[in-house]
Amino acid sequence: MADYNIFQTKIEEGIFVKYHDGYYTFKFEFDELIVFEQINKTVLEEFDLRGNRYIESKFNVTYEELLDESDDDDFIIFRIRKLELLGSK
């Protein structure tokens, strides 16, 4: 099992771009794209991000940056904790 430490929690406004192969991509201010590797189950119960319904929809995204220290190379994993729908396409 991976050894994660929460590095930072953020809330930002973002537009859902796509779901592909287990990854969720959102576009934030200044066209910054963040690919989320993990998502809270309750978020998926509320929003079916695997279909096309929410593509280009605007959300308040609460997410964590997790530092994975499970091996010699530390890297950041992004996890969505909460979504609040702000507007649709």
Side-chain angles (χ1 to χ4, degrees), residues 7-56:
F7 180 66
Q8 191 171 22
T9 301
K10 294 183 176 182
I11 300 173
E12 294 188 47
E13 196 173 284
I15 296 172
F16 180 58
V17 176
K18 69 179 179 176
Y19 167 81
H20 178 70
D21 203 23
Y23 297 94
Y24 305 86
T25 303
F26 282 79
K27 181 169 60 172
F28 294 96
E29 192 173 10
F30 305 115
D31 291 330
E32 176 187 17
L33 293 176
I34 295 181
V35 178
F36 293 91
E37 295 91 352
Q38 298 180 3
I39 189 165
N40 190 314
K41 278 187 178 183
T42 58
V43 171
L44 290 178
E45 290 170 1
E46 186 173 357
F47 301 104
D48 178 14
L49 298 178
R50 294 180 181 158
N52 293 328
R53 178 177 180 188
Y54 293 105
I55 291 176
E56 297 299 321

Side-chain angles (χ1 to χ4, degrees), residues 46-67:
E46 186 173 357
F47 301 104
D48 178 14
L49 298 178
R50 294 180 181 158
N52 293 328
R53 178 177 180 188
Y54 293 105
I55 291 176
E56 297 299 321
S57 294
K58 189 181 292 187
F59 290 90
N60 266 341
V61 182
T62 303
Y63 66 95
E64 296 170 334
E65 295 178 8
L66 305 166
L67 183 61

